[in-house]
């Protein structure tokens, strides 16, 4: 079940704040769009990002995760890469 993107973004930001974990707005939007507004998918991806970038003994946060990094981690294809490939093909 999906929820409106605006609501999903707000909820993800609430979760990030509660977990003391930072992702920039662009990544949060990509997360929600990739998850198609499915909060279970969002939370699963967040959990993977958290485990990938934050060790149990550290308070470091992701300050500069790029969209390309995000898609590499979640196993997707960046819209920027799709656009580049289409330009080459056309």
């Amino acid at each position: 079940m999906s929820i409106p993107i605006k609501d999903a973004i707000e909820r993800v930001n609430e979760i990030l704040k509660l977990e003391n974990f930072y992702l920039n707005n662009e990544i949060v939007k990509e997360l929600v769009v990739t998850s198609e507004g499915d909060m279970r998918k969002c939370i699963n991806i967040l959990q993977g990002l958290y485990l990938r970038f934050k060790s149990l003994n550290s308070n470091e946060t992701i300050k500069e995760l790029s969209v390309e990094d995000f898609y590499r981690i979640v196993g997707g294809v960046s819209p920027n890469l799709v656009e580049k490939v289409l330009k080459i093909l056309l």
Side-chain angles (χ1 to χ4, degrees), residues 22-47:
Y22 173 83
L23 293 174
N24 68 45
N25 291 334
E26 183 180 20
I27 300 302
V28 171
K29 183 178 178 187
E30 293 296 328
L31 168 64
V32 171
V33 170
T34 299
S35 302
E36 299 173 336
D38 183 331
M39 287 307 298
R40 281 187 232 167
K41 287 182 186 178
C42 282
I43 291 169
N44 285 334
I45 293 170
L46 275 176
Q47 192 171 27

Side-chain angles (χ1 to χ4, degrees), residues 37-65:
D38 183 331
M39 287 307 298
R40 281 187 232 167
K41 287 182 186 178
C42 282
I43 291 169
N44 285 334
I45 293 170
L46 275 176
Q47 192 171 27
L49 289 171
Y50 183 87
L51 292 173
R52 173 81 168 90
F53 284 96
K54 192 170 183 179
S55 70
L56 295 174
N57 298 322
S58 174
N59 289 326
E60 296 175 18
T61 59
I62 304 172
K63 300 249 186 230
E64 296 300 326
L65 179 70

Side-chain angles (χ1 to χ4, degrees), residues 3-18 25 28-29 31-32 39 42 46:
I3 64 174
I5 294 208
K6 180 182 176 210
D7 295 339
I9 288 171
E10 287 176 10
R11 185 63 186 133
V12 167
N13 282 323
E14 288 173 13
I15 293 168
L16 291 170
K17 185 175 180 180
L18 288 170
N25 291 334
V28 171
K29 183 178 178 187
L31 168 64
V32 171
M39 287 307 298
C42 282
L46 275 176

